[in-house]
Amino acid sequence: MQIHFVKTAPADVRLIARIVNQGDSLADLDPALADGAKAARFGGKTGQVFEGFAHQDDSLRRVALGGAGEKASAKRDLNVEKAGSALVAKFLRSGETDMVLDLGHGDLSAEEAASALLGARLRGWSYDKYRTKLASEKRVSLETIYVINAPSGTETAWDEAAAVAKGTEFTKRLITEPANILYPESFVELCREAFEGTGAEITVLDEPAMEKLGMGALLGVGQGSERASRMLAIRWNGGGQEKPTVFVGKGVTFDTGGISLKPPPGMEDMKWDMGGAGAVAGAMLALVSRKAKANVIGVMGLVENMPDGKAQRPGDVVTTMSGQTVEVLNTDAEGRLVLCDALHWAQEEYDPAQIIDLATLTGAMIIALGHEHGGLFANDDDLASQLSDAGFATGDKLWRLPIGPAYDKLIDSPVADIKNVGPRPAGSITAAQFLHRFIRKGTPWAHLDIAGMVFSDKPGHTWDKGATGYGARLLDRFIKDNVEG
Ligand code: BES
Ligand code: MN
Ligand code: ZN
């Protein structure tokens, strides 16, 4: 979606949209439109859209109103964002290629106007590349939004929001690509392209390098795959001498379960088992694109989990980079095996001030929280509440769950230091406990289990069906509100 700020609406654009708060007067509209909106029960509620036709300047115009709810709402930014996204959702495949968005209504601040544009742009992202026979009336038509009457300062606010949009779109793209296209090496290539010329520094470890470092857990997961595993780090130094914040993402480009093979129905979903790494890559692109004043490193453990003659077996014992040994009871609990080496390496390499990992780690997380909240686990209350707040502000919501020594006992192994699965109860918590064993004492750490959040079979306000982009905005906002000075 292209967004252009212009002085006057291009004469040949038929579709003209504006944002309306609950209770706003429509008196300046063509009377037939104002009556029509009333007759259609349009009252400016958040996300409500009205569409009517009117003759203006001798040609037929399609006029749309997007509701932003009550002006005084505590969620004003998100509500305005929803107005922008609802307008785009309505016209995305309507046949219209252009929209004029008149931001001179609804009493918007510059930041709120930028939120409307963010909603519009995010909702406009789609990826129909592989649909060569899609009927023309189902194809995305809307390509350009011409913004008129924007409050002063909107363009500056939009520069920053556009960086966030760019990062979120990158997350969606990575998640959408199927696993024959996106595997560890091609994930790295896509990142190299996306970060080219941005000033970010990219480090890649190949298998021999990881073997040298002793990453037996991560390498064990990738052992049954024809695709070589990779560790990817993207570093952004925008904050002087400060110790960095490190994000770590689970990047399992496909999770068959390995020898503990998953059942066929729904296995295709496991192409987005790299959602944690996708969120980290997208957040880094947002931070780099808006030149955030912070030191941040995104580390991604990239592997494919396949069954094969060379694959690891249930019962195998692997030695992690930290020296701790793990009894692999279930090869489908692979995410924690990837993350434990990524977390340990990230701490050794970068000595972080704080470390946050994201992973589509457990199905049990979806049972607990559904698709409304990601699970949040932390050894530090301040970090936990900062992340919760960033989630609330961006709509990438989180809900905290407990960790503690009683849960930790459940993953003691009789043959090694740790086993990679506990009993069925508290499956998401024991997975978090596993990761906690790889965190240095005194380092604030949070683990976000986003299994239910990265993909959706229904459209939402910032996504069409499919990849949601969850996590990119959350991490960007966390840095903006807590790390940047
Ligand atoms: N990638 C899955 C978790 C998952 C499941 C994410 C469904 C999204 C949707 C993970 O690797 C996994 O298989 N976890 C197992 C752990 C179990 C073997 C302890 C699970 O949740 O079943
Ligand atoms: Mn698995
Ligand atoms: Zn997995």
Side-chain angles (χ1 to χ4, degrees):
M1 187 71 64
Q2 299 288 321
I3 294 185
H4 299 301
F5 289 81
V6 292
K7 283 229 156 52
T8 50
D12 56 345
V13 177
R14 178 168 45 201
L15 171 62
I16 301 177
R18 65 161 75 171
I19 286 169
V20 176
N21 302 319
Q22 231 166 298
D24 278 3
S25 156
L26 299 176
D28 71 307
L29 282 175
D30 179 302
L33 280 173
D35 288 351
K38 201 169 164 202
R41 297 179 165 181
F42 175 84
K45 287 218 175 95
T46 308
Q48 213 185 357
V49 175
F50 170 76
E51 175 193 12
F53 289 84
H55 278 281
Q56 247 176 54
D57 312 319
D58 288 334
S59 45
L60 184 69
R61 304 286 174 179
R62 204 163 177 175
V63 178
L65 312 176
E70 285 176 26
K71 243 222 93 186
S73 167
K75 292 190 179 172
R76 178 71 175 158
D77 275 340
L78 273 184
N79 288 349
V80 176
E81 185 180 302
K82 284 180 183 164
S85 73
L87 283 167
V88 165
K90 173 91 181 169
F91 294 101
L92 192 61
R93 297 169 202 270
S94 66
E96 302 295 348
T97 55
D98 308 84
M99 172 193 281
V100 168
L101 181 57
D102 182 348
L103 290 179
H105 301 271
D107 198 15
L108 305 171
S109 69
E111 280 66 35
E112 289 161 1
S115 292
L117 296 177
L118 180 59
R121 173 153 159 193
L122 289 177
R123 187 61 183 81
W125 189 90
S126 70
Y127 202 62
D128 293 333
K129 183 174 149 195
Y130 301 121
R131 305 204 58 184
T132 66
K133 300 213 161 75
L134 192 61
S136 64
E137 69 273 17
K138 290 193 177 140
R139 279 200 182 274
V140 166
S141 57
L142 190 64
E143 283 168 356
T144 310
I145 297 177
Y146 294 98
V147 180
I148 58 169
N149 301 324
S152 97
T154 302
E155 284 185 66
T156 316
W158 173 241
D159 279 347
E160 194 157 296
V164 176
K166 188 176 173 189
T168 308
E169 288 171 353
F170 189 49
T171 299
K172 289 183 182 180
R173 161 92 199 278
L174 291 167
I175 284 168
T176 305
E177 288 291 1
N180 60 328
I181 305 292
L182 193 82
Y183 43 91
E185 285 169 285
S186 62
F187 188 113
V188 169
E189 277 325 301
L190 280 175
C191 286
R192 282 198 198 280
E193 282 167 31
F195 285 86
E196 187 157 353
T198 61
E201 181 192 304
I202 293 189
T203 304
V204 181
L205 304 183
D206 60 10
E207 289 187 345
M210 291 192 279
E211 236 155 74
K212 232 167 138 189
L213 288 163
M215 296 186 184
L218 184 150
L219 290 168
V221 175
Q223 194 177 299
S225 171
E226 291 292 318
R227 303 289 192 192
S229 304
R230 290 286 183 268
M231 184 77 77
L232 167 64
I234 302 172
R235 177 179 201 153
W236 172 247
N237 260 337
Q241 297 308 308
E242 295 289 302
K243 269 193 181 193
T245 295
V246 171
F247 300 139
V248 177
K250 168 179 171 181
V252 176
T253 56
F254 197 78
D255 180 14
T256 62
I259 296 300
S260 312
L261 195 62
K262 286 181 182 296
M267 200 202 274
E268 67 278 7
D269 285 352
M270 288 299 113
K271 74 170 185 175
W272 44 260
D273 206 20
M274 36 54 69
V280 168
M284 292 308 299
L285 189 58
L287 292 165
V288 163
S289 301
R290 65 176 185 78
K291 305 213 174 331
K293 291 186 181 56
N295 294 336
V296 189
I297 299 150
V299 172
M300 290 148 269
L302 304 169
V303 304
E304 185 182 56
N305 188 21
M306 298 290 271
D308 180 77
K310 295 201 211 86
Q312 71 180 342
R313 295 145 290 254
D316 282 6
V317 174
V318 294
T319 302
T320 65
M321 183 183 169
S322 75
Q324 298 178 83
T325 55
V326 180
E327 183 190 11
V328 180
L329 286 176
N330 187 326
T331 63
D332 196 12
E334 85 296 341
R336 62 200 77 182
L337 298 171
V338 173
L339 284 172
C340 70
D341 278 336
L343 284 164
H344 184 81
W345 178 72
Q347 291 169 96
E348 290 291 301
E349 188 76 6
Y350 299 113
D351 187 26
Q354 51 193 348
I355 189 162
I356 298 155
D357 74 74
L358 290 87
T360 50
L361 203 61
T362 64
M365 201 70 261
I366 309 177
I367 303 301
L369 296 175
H371 304 286
E372 296 303 321
H373 290 85
L376 160 64
F377 305 80
N379 64 0
D380 184 283
D381 293 344
D382 289 335
L383 178 59
S385 64
Q386 290 169 356
L387 284 162
S388 290
D389 290 350
F392 185 80
T394 56
D396 285 354
K397 289 174 289 178
L398 289 168
W399 197 262
R400 192 173 180 186
L401 289 99
I403 54 172
Y407 294 112
D408 189 58
K409 274 213 284 280
L410 301 174
I411 50 168
D412 285 334
S413 159
V415 261
D417 299 332
I418 325 174
K419 52 188 180 185
N420 80 327
V421 286
R424 246 170 82 84
S428 304
I429 303 178
T430 50
Q433 292 299 160
F434 183 98
L435 302 177
H436 192 207
R437 292 198 186 193
F438 295 85
I439 302 300
R440 284 192 202 157
K441 268 215 164 57
T443 301
W445 158 76
H447 156 59
L448 315 185
D449 189 338
I450 62 171
M453 306 309 289
V454 308
F455 208 81
S456 174
D457 43 18
K458 291 193 288 287
H461 94 270
T462 52
W463 63 87
D464 207 339
K465 271 199 307 245
T468 64
Y470 183 94
R473 294 176 68 188
L474 169 77
L475 296 179
D476 172 80
R477 184 63 174 253
F478 166 76
I479 294 294
K480 181 180 155 88
D481 289 350
N482 303 288
V483 180
E484 290 181 78

mmCIF file with all atom_site columns, all heavy atoms in Angstrom, residues 250 255-257 262 270 273 305 331-335 361, ligand 2:
data_model
loop_
_atom_site.group_PDB
_atom_site.id
_atom_site.type_symbol
_atom_site.label_atom_id
_atom_site.label_alt_id
_atom_site.label_comp_id
_atom_site.label_asym_id
_atom_site.label_entity_id
_atom_site.label_seq_id
_atom_site.pdbx_PDB_ins_code
_atom_site.Cartn_x
_atom_site.Cartn_y
_atom_site.Cartn_z
_atom_site.occupancy
_atom_site.B_iso_or_equiv
_atom_site.pdbx_formal_charge
_atom_site.auth_seq_id
_atom_site.auth_comp_id
_atom_site.auth_asym_id
_atom_site.auth_atom_id
_atom_site.pdbx_PDB_model_num
ATOM   1   N  N   . LYS A 1 250 ? 12.650 -18.299 18.073 1.00 0.00 ? 250 LYS A N   1
ATOM   2   C  CA  . LYS A 1 250 ? 12.605 -19.687 17.584 1.00 0.00 ? 250 LYS A CA  1
ATOM   3   C  C   . LYS A 1 250 ? 12.308 -19.650 16.091 1.00 0.00 ? 250 LYS A C   1
ATOM   4   O  O   . LYS A 1 250 ? 11.265 -19.160 15.671 1.00 0.00 ? 250 LYS A O   1
ATOM   5   C  CB  . LYS A 1 250 ? 11.513 -20.480 18.315 1.00 0.00 ? 250 LYS A CB  1
ATOM   6   C  CG  . LYS A 1 250 ? 11.193 -21.847 17.661 1.00 0.00 ? 250 LYS A CG  1
ATOM   7   C  CD  . LYS A 1 250 ? 10.113 -22.626 18.413 1.00 0.00 ? 250 LYS A CD  1
ATOM   8   C  CE  . LYS A 1 250 ? 9.666  -23.864 17.647 1.00 0.00 ? 250 LYS A CE  1
ATOM   9   N  NZ  . LYS A 1 250 ? 8.608  -24.635 18.336 1.00 0.00 ? 250 LYS A NZ  1
ATOM   10  N  N   . ASP A 1 255 ? 8.210  -27.801 11.264 1.00 0.00 ? 255 ASP A N   1
ATOM   11  C  CA  . ASP A 1 255 ? 8.242  -28.717 12.403 1.00 0.00 ? 255 ASP A CA  1
ATOM   12  C  C   . ASP A 1 255 ? 7.340  -29.911 12.131 1.00 0.00 ? 255 ASP A C   1
ATOM   13  O  O   . ASP A 1 255 ? 6.135  -29.861 12.334 1.00 0.00 ? 255 ASP A O   1
ATOM   14  C  CB  . ASP A 1 255 ? 7.777  -27.970 13.667 1.00 0.00 ? 255 ASP A CB  1
ATOM   15  C  CG  . ASP A 1 255 ? 7.784  -28.882 14.901 1.00 0.00 ? 255 ASP A CG  1
ATOM   16  O  OD1 . ASP A 1 255 ? 8.393  -29.982 14.827 1.00 0.00 ? 255 ASP A OD1 1
ATOM   17  O  OD2 . ASP A 1 255 ? 7.184  -28.480 15.922 1.00 0.00 ? 255 ASP A OD2 1
ATOM   18  N  N   . THR A 1 256 ? 7.961  -30.991 11.622 1.00 0.00 ? 256 THR A N   1
ATOM   19  C  CA  . THR A 1 256 ? 7.180  -32.230 11.439 1.00 0.00 ? 256 THR A CA  1
ATOM   20  C  C   . THR A 1 256 ? 6.986  -32.950 12.768 1.00 0.00 ? 256 THR A C   1
ATOM   21  O  O   . THR A 1 256 ? 6.185  -33.878 12.872 1.00 0.00 ? 256 THR A O   1
ATOM   22  C  CB  . THR A 1 256 ? 7.917  -33.227 10.517 1.00 0.00 ? 256 THR A CB  1
ATOM   23  O  OG1 . THR A 1 256 ? 9.161  -33.589 11.155 1.00 0.00 ? 256 THR A OG1 1
ATOM   24  C  CG2 . THR A 1 256 ? 8.205  -32.624 9.151  1.00 0.00 ? 256 THR A CG2 1
ATOM   25  N  N   . GLY A 1 257 ? 7.755  -32.550 13.774 1.00 0.00 ? 257 GLY A N   1
ATOM   26  C  CA  . GLY A 1 257 ? 7.817  -33.298 15.029 1.00 0.00 ? 257 GLY A CA  1
ATOM   27  C  C   . GLY A 1 257 ? 9.053  -34.188 15.080 1.00 0.00 ? 257 GLY A C   1
ATOM   28  O  O   . GLY A 1 257 ? 9.453  -34.663 16.129 1.00 0.00 ? 257 GLY A O   1
ATOM   29  N  N   . LYS A 1 262 ? 4.338  -35.642 14.088 1.00 0.00 ? 262 LYS A N   1
ATOM   30  C  CA  . LYS A 1 262 ? 3.003  -35.080 14.320 1.00 0.00 ? 262 LYS A CA  1
ATOM   31  C  C   . LYS A 1 262 ? 1.993  -35.787 13.426 1.00 0.00 ? 262 LYS A C   1
ATOM   32  O  O   . LYS A 1 262 ? 2.343  -36.226 12.338 1.00 0.00 ? 262 LYS A O   1
ATOM   33  C  CB  . LYS A 1 262 ? 2.994  -33.584 13.956 1.00 0.00 ? 262 LYS A CB  1
ATOM   34  C  CG  . LYS A 1 262 ? 3.706  -32.687 14.939 1.00 0.00 ? 262 LYS A CG  1
ATOM   35  C  CD  . LYS A 1 262 ? 3.601  -31.232 14.496 1.00 0.00 ? 262 LYS A CD  1
ATOM   36  C  CE  . LYS A 1 262 ? 4.346  -30.308 15.451 1.00 0.00 ? 262 LYS A CE  1
ATOM   37  N  NZ  . LYS A 1 262 ? 3.821  -30.269 16.810 1.00 0.00 ? 262 LYS A NZ  1
ATOM   38  N  N   . MET A 1 270 ? 2.698  -25.930 10.554 1.00 0.00 ? 270 MET A N   1
ATOM   39  C  CA  . MET A 1 270 ? 4.041  -25.841 11.144 1.00 0.00 ? 270 MET A CA  1
ATOM   40  C  C   . MET A 1 270 ? 5.054  -25.137 10.249 1.00 0.00 ? 270 MET A C   1
ATOM   41  O  O   . MET A 1 270 ? 6.222  -25.004 10.585 1.00 0.00 ? 270 MET A O   1
ATOM   42  C  CB  . MET A 1 270 ? 4.521  -27.227 11.574 1.00 0.00 ? 270 MET A CB  1
ATOM   43  C  CG  . MET A 1 270 ? 3.776  -27.721 12.812 1.00 0.00 ? 270 MET A CG  1
ATOM   44  S  SD  . MET A 1 270 ? 4.019  -26.622 14.239 1.00 0.00 ? 270 MET A SD  1
ATOM   45  C  CE  . MET A 1 270 ? 2.382  -25.968 14.466 1.00 0.00 ? 270 MET A CE  1
ATOM   46  N  N   . ASP A 1 273 ? 6.220  -22.211 12.232 1.00 0.00 ? 273 ASP A N   1
ATOM   47  C  CA  . ASP A 1 273 ? 6.882  -22.458 13.516 1.00 0.00 ? 273 ASP A CA  1
ATOM   48  C  C   . ASP A 1 273 ? 8.170  -21.624 13.658 1.00 0.00 ? 273 ASP A C   1
ATOM   49  O  O   . ASP A 1 273 ? 8.906  -21.749 14.635 1.00 0.00 ? 273 ASP A O   1
ATOM   50  C  CB  . ASP A 1 273 ? 7.178  -23.955 13.656 1.00 0.00 ? 273 ASP A CB  1
ATOM   51  C  CG  . ASP A 1 273 ? 7.250  -24.391 15.113 1.00 0.00 ? 273 ASP A CG  1
ATOM   52  O  OD1 . ASP A 1 273 ? 6.716  -23.675 15.983 1.00 0.00 ? 273 ASP A OD1 1
ATOM   53  O  OD2 . ASP A 1 273 ? 7.855  -25.452 15.372 1.00 0.00 ? 273 ASP A OD2 1
ATOM   54  N  N   . ASN A 1 305 ? 12.909 -29.308 11.404 1.00 0.00 ? 305 ASN A N   1
ATOM   55  C  CA  . ASN A 1 305 ? 12.775 -30.526 12.221 1.00 0.00 ? 305 ASN A CA  1
ATOM   56  C  C   . ASN A 1 305 ? 12.133 -31.628 11.394 1.00 0.00 ? 305 ASN A C   1
ATOM   57  O  O   . ASN A 1 305 ? 10.922 -31.611 11.165 1.00 0.00 ? 305 ASN A O   1
ATOM   58  C  CB  . ASN A 1 305 ? 11.913 -30.202 13.454 1.00 0.00 ? 305 ASN A CB  1
ATOM   59  C  CG  . ASN A 1 305 ? 11.880 -31.347 14.470 1.00 0.00 ? 305 ASN A CG  1
ATOM   60  O  OD1 . ASN A 1 305 ? 12.757 -32.214 14.475 1.00 0.00 ? 305 ASN A OD1 1
ATOM   61  N  ND2 . ASN A 1 305 ? 10.861 -31.344 15.322 1.00 0.00 ? 305 ASN A ND2 1
ATOM   62  N  N   . THR A 1 331 ? 11.027 -35.739 20.308 1.00 0.00 ? 331 THR A N   1
ATOM   63  C  CA  . THR A 1 331 ? 11.732 -34.896 19.328 1.00 0.00 ? 331 THR A CA  1
ATOM   64  C  C   . THR A 1 331 ? 10.846 -33.743 18.847 1.00 0.00 ? 331 THR A C   1
ATOM   65  O  O   . THR A 1 331 ? 11.317 -32.850 18.144 1.00 0.00 ? 331 THR A O   1
ATOM   66  C  CB  . THR A 1 331 ? 12.220 -35.699 18.104 1.00 0.00 ? 331 THR A CB  1
ATOM   67  O  OG1 . THR A 1 331 ? 11.079 -36.234 17.415 1.00 0.00 ? 331 THR A OG1 1
ATOM   68  C  CG2 . THR A 1 331 ? 13.152 -36.828 18.529 1.00 0.00 ? 331 THR A CG2 1
ATOM   69  N  N   . ASP A 1 332 ? 9.548  -33.787 19.227 1.00 0.00 ? 332 ASP A N   1
ATOM   70  C  CA  . ASP A 1 332 ? 8.638  -32.698 18.855 1.00 0.00 ? 332 ASP A CA  1
ATOM   71  C  C   . ASP A 1 332 ? 8.718  -31.520 19.843 1.00 0.00 ? 332 ASP A C   1
ATOM   72  O  O   . ASP A 1 332 ? 8.175  -30.457 19.576 1.00 0.00 ? 332 ASP A O   1
ATOM   73  C  CB  . ASP A 1 332 ? 7.202  -33.241 18.781 1.00 0.00 ? 332 ASP A CB  1
ATOM   74  C  CG  . ASP A 1 332 ? 6.260  -32.307 18.037 1.00 0.00 ? 332 ASP A CG  1
ATOM   75  O  OD1 . ASP A 1 332 ? 6.749  -31.367 17.385 1.00 0.00 ? 332 ASP A OD1 1
ATOM   76  O  OD2 . ASP A 1 332 ? 5.040  -32.537 18.112 1.00 0.00 ? 332 ASP A OD2 1
ATOM   77  N  N   . ALA A 1 333 ? 9.388  -31.708 20.958 1.00 0.00 ? 333 ALA A N   1
ATOM   78  C  CA  . ALA A 1 333 ? 9.618  -30.568 21.857 1.00 0.00 ? 333 ALA A CA  1
ATOM   79  C  C   . ALA A 1 333 ? 10.976 -29.971 21.470 1.00 0.00 ? 333 ALA A C   1
ATOM   80  O  O   . ALA A 1 333 ? 11.933 -29.950 22.252 1.00 0.00 ? 333 ALA A O   1
ATOM   81  C  CB  . ALA A 1 333 ? 9.592  -31.007 23.314 1.00 0.00 ? 333 ALA A CB  1
ATOM   82  N  N   . GLU A 1 334 ? 11.054 -29.531 20.207 1.00 0.00 ? 334 GLU A N   1
ATOM   83  C  CA  . GLU A 1 334 ? 12.335 -29.124 19.620 1.00 0.00 ? 334 GLU A CA  1
ATOM   84  C  C   . GLU A 1 334 ? 12.648 -27.646 19.832 1.00 0.00 ? 334 GLU A C   1
ATOM   85  O  O   . GLU A 1 334 ? 13.809 -27.251 19.804 1.00 0.00 ? 334 GLU A O   1
ATOM   86  C  CB  . GLU A 1 334 ? 12.353 -29.462 18.118 1.00 0.00 ? 334 GLU A CB  1
ATOM   87  C  CG  . GLU A 1 334 ? 11.723 -28.414 17.199 1.00 0.00 ? 334 GLU A CG  1
ATOM   88  C  CD  . GLU A 1 334 ? 10.231 -28.193 17.417 1.00 0.00 ? 334 GLU A CD  1
ATOM   89  O  OE1 . GLU A 1 334 ? 9.583  -29.071 18.015 1.00 0.00 ? 334 GLU A OE1 1
ATOM   90  O  OE2 . GLU A 1 334 ? 9.709  -27.135 17.000 1.00 0.00 ? 334 GLU A OE2 1
ATOM   91  N  N   . GLY A 1 335 ? 11.585 -26.840 20.022 1.00 0.00 ? 335 GLY A N   1
ATOM   92  C  CA  . GLY A 1 335 ? 11.807 -25.395 20.106 1.00 0.00 ? 335 GLY A CA  1
ATOM   93  C  C   . GLY A 1 335 ? 12.738 -25.042 21.253 1.00 0.00 ? 335 GLY A C   1
ATOM   94  O  O   . GLY A 1 335 ? 13.663 -24.233 21.106 1.00 0.00 ? 335 GLY A O   1
ATOM   95  N  N   . LEU A 1 361 ? 6.013  -22.011 20.961 1.00 0.00 ? 361 LEU A N   1
ATOM   96  C  CA  . LEU A 1 361 ? 6.665  -23.103 21.691 1.00 0.00 ? 361 LEU A CA  1
ATOM   97  C  C   . LEU A 1 361 ? 5.752  -24.273 22.037 1.00 0.00 ? 361 LEU A C   1
ATOM   98  O  O   . LEU A 1 361 ? 6.175  -25.420 21.950 1.00 0.00 ? 361 LEU A O   1
ATOM   99  C  CB  . LEU A 1 361 ? 7.326  -22.548 22.964 1.00 0.00 ? 361 LEU A CB  1
ATOM   100 C  CG  . LEU A 1 361 ? 8.463  -23.405 23.509 1.00 0.00 ? 361 LEU A CG  1
ATOM   101 C  CD1 . LEU A 1 361 ? 9.598  -23.543 22.510 1.00 0.00 ? 361 LEU A CD1 1
ATOM   102 C  CD2 . LEU A 1 361 ? 9.012  -22.850 24.826 1.00 0.00 ? 361 LEU A CD2 1
HETATM 103 MN MN  . MN  B 2 .   ? 7.428  -29.504 17.816 1.00 0.00 ? 2   MN  B MN  1
#
